[in-house]
Amino acid sequence: MSSKNSSTKTQFHPRNKHRGQYDFKRLVESFPDLATFVIKTPYGSTSIDFFNPAAVLVLNKALLKLHYNISFWEIPSNYLCPPIPGRADYIHHVADLLGKDSGEKITCLDLGVGASCVYPIIGVAEYNWSFIGSDIDKIALASSQKIIDNNPSLNDKVELRLQANPNQLLKGIIKPNEKIDLIVCNPPFHASAAEASAAAQKKSSNLKKQKVSKPVLNFGGQQHELWCKGGEFQFVKILIQESAQFAKNCSWFTTLISKKETLKHMLVELEKIGKSTVKIIELKTGNKISRVLCWRFLNKQ
């Protein structure tokens, strides 16, 4: 197995439309409802209250309208409202994995598409990729389907599939002779509801620079979006194990990983399943560093 680490990204990918500060003037012009939530910071700059879930939701709508031509974007109450700039960074970096082929006809599987359909939205707008979106949640899939149906640019580019077995990831989704260029995945990071709550409390306390006893999940999230049995460790381990069975179907497998310790273990898991090329991409947003673990199999024939 060969491994290549990229240098830490101190800023977003060069093609990421969210590299600079939010342009609230243009955002409000594109989506006037945002005006209600725009505030002046103590430093005199323009922003929103990122601890207000309603403000975050409307900001996302404005970003998707201005930058990705999405006129309808509604998600069910308490479902994950993803941070758009970070999701875009993931898409741009994994597009580089495809190299010269990234401009060709590409099929991407979004493993756990959720209720927001955010990766297909960005991938279609930026690269004209086609997407398969899978999920175990019928409500989430119905929400994503509504987004697809109400945005012409997505109509013929995204197909959704229900994962009927919650203990499987790729099995039951990828068809026997199907060819997929890329898999993207944002796994549930935590192993329990208590762990997810503790992480949210720590994050809120750090941001507000004071102890927060009852954090507000400003980005929301259902149980299966935030945690699963065994957390990201078990989730990614299963993904790696199943990926070996679909080596002939898929060119690149990728997944976000939030914990450095998990990454070490997953590199060992990849060693176990045979010859593969592995790359690690570091995404930096503010003080937070996430990692994208990418692998492909050699001698797939």
Side-chain angles (χ1 to χ4, degrees):
M1 179 178 71
S2 61
S3 178
K4 179 182 178 182
N5 290 324
S6 65
S7 59
T8 301
K9 304 295 185 295
T10 55
Q11 57 184 1
F12 284 140
H13 190 282
R15 293 192 298 274
N16 194 329
K17 293 174 178 174
H18 313 287
R19 281 167 59 85
Q21 299 293 318
Y22 289 127
D23 187 337
F24 281 98
K25 184 175 183 296
R26 289 183 65 210
L27 287 167
V28 169
E29 288 173 354
S30 177
F31 198 81
D33 289 356
L34 179 62
T36 304
F37 299 96
V38 173
I39 59 174
K40 284 288 184 182
T41 71
Y43 305 100
S45 59
T46 305
S47 186
I48 64 165
D49 179 4
F50 282 94
F51 291 93
N52 180 350
V56 171
L57 179 67
V58 174
L59 174 61
N60 270 13
K61 291 182 179 183
L63 289 170
L64 292 171
K65 179 68 163 47
L66 176 62
H67 297 296
Y68 305 102
N69 196 32
I70 296 298
S71 58
F72 174 91
W73 192 78
E74 300 286 347
I75 58 175
S77 177
N78 296 322
Y79 273 71
L80 187 65
C81 180
I84 305 300
R87 298 298 193 261
D89 225 44
Y90 183 174
I91 290 292
H92 288 301
H93 278 290
V94 293
D96 290 344
L97 287 175
L98 303 175
K100 63 181 178 60
D101 296 325
S102 63
E104 303 297 325
K105 186 178 180 182
I106 297 297
T107 298
C108 179
L109 169 60
D110 181 0
L111 185 61
V113 66
S116 67
C117 204
V118 67
Y119 285 129
I121 285 171
I122 297 169
V124 169
E126 297 286 49
Y127 297 104
N128 199 32
W129 292 347
S130 294
F131 275 81
I132 300 163
S134 71
D135 211 288
I136 62 171
D137 186 337
K138 292 181 180 179
I139 294 174
L141 286 176
S143 173
S144 277
Q145 188 62 58
K146 194 171 182 180
I147 292 170
I148 294 164
D149 292 342
N150 283 278
N151 290 285
S153 62
L154 303 176
N155 289 174
D156 299 322
K157 303 295 289 186
V158 189
E159 176 192 348
L160 302 181
R161 298 177 186 175
L162 175 68
Q163 173 55 269
N165 186 339
N167 296 315
Q168 296 179 170
L169 298 176
L170 305 179
K171 296 177 184 177
I173 295 298
I174 299 178
K175 298 173 183 178
N177 297 315
E178 195 163 38
K179 297 299 181 183
I180 293 170
D181 300 282
L182 176 71
I183 290 176
V184 296
C185 180
N186 195 75
F189 293 138
H190 307 294
S192 67
E195 184 182 313
S197 178
Q201 182 175 339
K202 182 180 179 181
K203 177 183 176 183
S204 296
S205 298
N206 288 342
L207 288 173
K208 289 197 170 184
K209 303 187 185 306
Q210 63 185 51
K211 187 173 181 180
V212 176
S213 57
K214 291 184 178 181
V216 174
L217 290 173
N218 55 339
F219 287 101
Q222 292 289 298
Q223 168 186 320
H224 61 274
E225 294 177 306
L226 301 177
W227 67 273
C228 66
K229 186 177 180 181
E232 71 173 7
F233 179 97
Q234 186 63 21
F235 188 100
V236 178
K237 183 178 179 181
I238 292 171
L239 176 58
I240 289 172
Q241 291 171 344
E242 288 193 14
S243 71
Q245 302 171 47
F246 294 93
K248 293 182 180 179
N249 299 83
C250 185
S251 295
W252 278 103
F253 301 84
T254 79
T255 180
L256 274 171
I257 292 182
S258 68
K259 300 172 183 175
K260 214 170 184 178
E261 192 62 29
T262 300
L263 183 62
K264 294 178 185 178
H265 289 290
M266 293 309 110
L267 291 174
V268 173
E269 290 299 320
L270 283 167
E271 289 278 6
K272 294 177 183 177
I273 62 173
K275 294 182 178 180
S276 58
T277 297
V278 177
K279 294 187 178 183
I280 300 162
I281 302 168
E282 289 188 344
L283 309 180
K284 186 171 183 181
T285 307
N287 294 323
K288 178 179 171 56
I289 295 178
S290 297
R291 298 148 195 92
V292 181
L293 177 61
C294 317
W295 67 98
R296 70 185 308 178
F297 293 95
L298 307 176
N299 304 319
K300 296 190 294 182
Q301 302 304 320

